[in-house]
Short mmCIF file of all heavy atoms in Angstrom, two decimals:
data_model
loop_
_atom_site.label_atom_id
_atom_site.label_comp_id
_atom_site.label_asym_id
_atom_site.label_seq_id
_atom_site.Cartn_x
_atom_site.Cartn_y
_atom_site.Cartn_z
N GLU B 265 96.14 106.14 112.85
CA GLU B 265 96.89 106.81 111.79
C GLU B 265 96.20 106.52 110.46
O GLU B 265 95.72 105.42 110.24
CB GLU B 265 98.31 106.33 111.70
CG GLU B 265 99.13 106.81 112.87
CD GLU B 265 100.62 106.33 112.83
OE1 GLU B 265 100.83 105.25 112.23
OE2 GLU B 265 101.45 106.97 113.40
N PHE B 266 96.26 107.50 109.54
CA PHE B 266 95.84 107.34 108.14
C PHE B 266 97.14 106.94 107.41
O PHE B 266 98.06 107.81 107.35
CB PHE B 266 95.27 108.60 107.58
CG PHE B 266 94.07 109.11 108.32
CD1 PHE B 266 94.13 110.06 109.37
CD2 PHE B 266 92.77 108.56 108.09
CE1 PHE B 266 93.04 110.54 110.03
CE2 PHE B 266 91.70 109.10 108.81
CZ PHE B 266 91.82 110.02 109.74
N VAL B 267 97.23 105.74 106.93
CA VAL B 267 98.51 105.31 106.25
C VAL B 267 98.17 105.09 104.77
O VAL B 267 97.07 104.65 104.31
CB VAL B 267 99.01 104.06 106.86
CG1 VAL B 267 99.41 104.23 108.28
CG2 VAL B 267 98.05 102.89 106.78
N SER B 268 99.20 105.46 104.04
CA SER B 268 99.10 105.37 102.55
C SER B 268 100.48 105.13 101.98
O SER B 268 101.51 105.45 102.61
CB SER B 268 98.53 106.76 102.04
OG SER B 268 98.24 106.71 100.65
N PRO B 269 100.58 104.63 100.80
CA PRO B 269 101.90 104.45 100.18
C PRO B 269 102.55 105.84 99.97
O PRO B 269 101.88 106.71 99.39
CB PRO B 269 101.60 103.81 98.80
CG PRO B 269 100.32 103.16 98.92
CD PRO B 269 99.50 104.02 99.85
N VAL B 270 103.78 105.97 100.44
CA VAL B 270 104.45 107.30 100.28
C VAL B 270 105.80 107.11 99.43
O VAL B 270 105.75 107.33 98.22
CB VAL B 270 104.74 108.03 101.54
CG1 VAL B 270 105.48 109.30 101.32
CG2 VAL B 270 103.39 108.32 102.28
N SER B 271 106.75 106.55 100.05
CA SER B 271 107.99 106.37 99.37
C SER B 271 108.00 105.06 98.62
O SER B 271 108.79 104.83 97.76
CB SER B 271 109.18 106.39 100.34
OG SER B 271 109.17 107.63 100.96
N SER B 272 107.20 104.09 99.01
CA SER B 272 107.14 102.81 98.36
C SER B 272 105.66 102.39 98.24
O SER B 272 104.86 102.74 99.04
CB SER B 272 107.89 101.79 99.25
OG SER B 272 107.45 100.42 98.98
N THR B 273 105.35 101.67 97.11
CA THR B 273 104.03 101.19 96.97
C THR B 273 103.75 99.92 97.88
O THR B 273 102.65 99.48 97.99
CB THR B 273 103.68 100.89 95.49
OG1 THR B 273 104.79 100.01 95.00
CG2 THR B 273 103.59 102.09 94.64
N GLU B 274 104.85 99.42 98.44
CA GLU B 274 104.71 98.07 99.07
C GLU B 274 104.42 98.25 100.63
O GLU B 274 103.84 97.45 101.21
CB GLU B 274 105.98 97.24 98.94
CG GLU B 274 106.05 96.68 97.51
CD GLU B 274 107.54 96.37 97.17
OE1 GLU B 274 108.24 95.83 98.00
OE2 GLU B 274 108.01 96.84 96.14
N THR B 275 104.91 99.38 101.25
CA THR B 275 104.54 99.69 102.57
C THR B 275 103.87 101.00 102.72
O THR B 275 103.98 101.83 101.77
CB THR B 275 105.78 99.72 103.42
OG1 THR B 275 106.72 100.66 102.99
CG2 THR B 275 106.53 98.42 103.55
N ARG B 276 103.19 101.14 103.76
CA ARG B 276 102.43 102.41 103.92
C ARG B 276 103.08 103.27 105.06
O ARG B 276 103.66 102.69 106.01
CB ARG B 276 100.96 102.09 104.30
CG ARG B 276 100.27 101.54 103.11
CD ARG B 276 98.92 100.87 103.58
NE ARG B 276 98.20 100.40 102.34
CZ ARG B 276 97.20 101.04 101.70
NH1 ARG B 276 96.76 102.13 102.25
NH2 ARG B 276 96.66 100.44 100.70
N THR B 277 102.89 104.55 104.93
CA THR B 277 103.47 105.47 105.92
C THR B 277 102.30 106.40 106.36
O THR B 277 101.35 106.61 105.62
CB THR B 277 104.56 106.40 105.22
OG1 THR B 277 105.49 105.52 104.67
CG2 THR B 277 105.20 107.27 106.17
N ALA B 278 102.38 106.74 107.59
CA ALA B 278 101.28 107.62 108.20
C ALA B 278 101.36 109.01 107.52
O ALA B 278 102.46 109.66 107.45
CB ALA B 278 101.49 107.75 109.67
N ILE B 279 100.16 109.48 106.98
CA ILE B 279 100.14 110.78 106.40
C ILE B 279 99.27 111.76 107.24
O ILE B 279 99.14 112.94 107.01
CB ILE B 279 99.70 110.82 104.93
CG1 ILE B 279 98.31 110.16 104.80
CG2 ILE B 279 100.79 110.11 104.11
CD1 ILE B 279 97.77 110.26 103.39
N GLY B 280 98.63 111.07 108.23
CA GLY B 280 97.80 111.86 109.18
C GLY B 280 97.39 111.01 110.29
O GLY B 280 97.67 109.76 110.41
N SER B 281 96.86 111.64 111.40
CA SER B 281 96.54 110.84 112.54
C SER B 281 95.48 111.62 113.41
O SER B 281 95.24 112.76 113.26
CB SER B 281 97.73 110.58 113.53
OG SER B 281 98.21 111.84 113.98
N VAL B 282 94.80 110.75 114.13
CA VAL B 282 93.88 111.23 115.19
C VAL B 282 94.46 110.71 116.46
O VAL B 282 94.59 109.57 116.63
CB VAL B 282 92.38 110.78 114.92
CG1 VAL B 282 91.56 111.06 116.14
CG2 VAL B 282 91.83 111.35 113.66
N ASN B 283 94.62 111.69 117.40
CA ASN B 283 95.36 111.34 118.64
C ASN B 283 94.54 111.73 119.87
O ASN B 283 94.21 112.90 120.02
CB ASN B 283 96.71 111.98 118.67
CG ASN B 283 97.68 111.31 119.58
OD1 ASN B 283 97.35 110.47 120.34
ND2 ASN B 283 98.98 111.73 119.46
N ARG B 284 94.11 110.75 120.59
CA ARG B 284 93.33 111.03 121.82
C ARG B 284 94.44 111.11 123.01
O ARG B 284 95.04 110.12 123.21
CB ARG B 284 92.31 110.04 122.17
CG ARG B 284 91.13 110.15 121.26
CD ARG B 284 89.99 109.17 121.67
NE ARG B 284 90.44 107.78 121.48
CZ ARG B 284 90.15 106.82 122.32
NH1 ARG B 284 89.53 107.02 123.40
NH2 ARG B 284 90.57 105.63 122.05
N HIS B 285 94.61 112.33 123.57
CA HIS B 285 95.62 112.49 124.59
C HIS B 285 95.10 112.12 125.95
O HIS B 285 95.90 112.18 126.92
CB HIS B 285 96.14 113.96 124.59
CG HIS B 285 96.41 114.54 123.28
ND1 HIS B 285 95.85 115.74 122.91
CD2 HIS B 285 97.08 114.04 122.20
CE1 HIS B 285 96.27 116.03 121.62
NE2 HIS B 285 96.94 115.09 121.21
N GLN B 286 93.78 111.82 126.03
CA GLN B 286 93.13 111.70 127.30
C GLN B 286 93.48 112.89 128.14
O GLN B 286 93.36 114.04 127.67
CB GLN B 286 93.61 110.42 128.01
CG GLN B 286 93.08 109.19 127.26
CD GLN B 286 93.52 107.96 127.94
OE1 GLN B 286 94.64 107.66 128.18
NE2 GLN B 286 92.57 107.05 128.12
N ASP B 287 93.87 112.78 129.48
CA ASP B 287 94.11 114.02 130.31
C ASP B 287 95.58 114.34 130.28
O ASP B 287 96.06 115.04 131.20
CB ASP B 287 93.57 113.76 131.70
CG ASP B 287 94.18 112.52 132.36
OD1 ASP B 287 94.97 111.89 131.68
OD2 ASP B 287 93.81 112.19 133.52
N HIS B 288 96.36 113.80 129.37
CA HIS B 288 97.86 113.95 129.46
C HIS B 288 98.21 115.45 129.47
O HIS B 288 98.92 115.96 130.35
CB HIS B 288 98.52 113.34 128.25
CG HIS B 288 99.99 113.51 128.28
ND1 HIS B 288 100.82 113.18 129.25
CD2 HIS B 288 100.73 114.21 127.34
CE1 HIS B 288 102.03 113.41 129.00
NE2 HIS B 288 102.10 114.12 127.78
N PHE B 289 97.80 116.23 128.51
CA PHE B 289 98.15 117.67 128.43
C PHE B 289 97.38 118.47 129.58
O PHE B 289 97.88 119.39 130.04
CB PHE B 289 97.92 118.31 127.06
CG PHE B 289 98.88 117.71 125.97
CD1 PHE B 289 98.38 117.06 124.90
CD2 PHE B 289 100.26 117.87 126.15
CE1 PHE B 289 99.28 116.57 123.97
CE2 PHE B 289 101.15 117.37 125.22
CZ PHE B 289 100.64 116.70 124.08
#
Side-chain angles (χ1 to χ4, degrees):
Chain B
E265 290 179 337
F266 301 96
V267 296
S268 188
V270 178
S271 298
S272 156
T273 48
E274 289 154 48
T275 56
R276 288 166 180 260
T277 305
I279 58 172
S281 64
V282 169
N283 201 347
R284 286 185 293 139
H285 316 128
Q286 296 181 304
D287 56 1
H288 176 63
F289 291 121

